[in-house]
Amino acid sequence: IIIVSKTTNYTIKDGFLIVKNIYSGNSKIAVSSIKKVSEIKTLVSLSRLSLNRIIISYNKFDEIAISPKDLDSFLAELKKINPNIIIDF
C-alpha cells in the first residue's frame, strides 16, 4: 500500500488532468473534455486506496476513478477551467 500511495499523483496543469499511478500508467485528460464528476463508495476497484473515490466521465464513453486528498479544492480547480462540468454527489 505504501508503494501505491507514493506513486499515485493527480495534477491539473495547462488545462489537463494528469493522473499517474502504477496500475494504469499515465493518463492525460483535457479538462475541457470532462462531462461529469460522480462520487462512488464501493469496493469495485480494490486497487484504489480510498473508499471515497470519484469517477470522472470524459470524452464520449471514458471514465477514470481517482481519490484526490482535497476534493473541494480539486473540484474547484476543474470548474475554473471547465464550468460546464456536472458535479453529481
Side-chain angles (χ1 to χ4, degrees):
I1 293 177
I2 293 170
I3 293 171
V4 174
S5 67
K6 301 249 184 222
T7 59
T8 302
N9 186 343
Y10 317 110
T11 307
I12 300 170
K13 183 178 179 182
D14 298 328
F16 287 91
L17 168 61
I18 302 161
V19 180
K20 297 179 182 179
N21 68 54
I22 63 172
Y23 293 105
S24 62
N26 296 342
S27 299
K28 190 173 182 181
I29 301 164
V31 175
S32 62
S33 73
I34 296 175
K35 308 290 184 215
K36 183 177 173 182
V37 177
S38 306
E39 186 176 32
I40 184 167
K41 291 184 179 182
T42 68
L43 295 174
V44 172
S45 177
L46 295 176
S47 66
R48 303 292 182 229
L49 294 175
S50 170
L51 293 178
N52 296 317
R53 296 185 309 275
I54 59 173
I55 299 291
I56 295 180
S57 303
Y58 61 101
N59 295 332
K60 194 166 184 174
F61 300 111
D62 298 316
E63 292 184 332
I64 190 167
I66 64 173
S67 303
K69 288 181 185 178
D70 185 349
L71 181 60
D72 292 333
S73 294
F74 181 80
L75 293 175
E77 285 298 312
L78 291 178
K79 292 283 276 184
K80 269 196 244 179
I81 298 167
N82 180 357
N84 296 318
I85 295 173
I86 297 168
I87 307 297
D88 185 21
F89 289 11

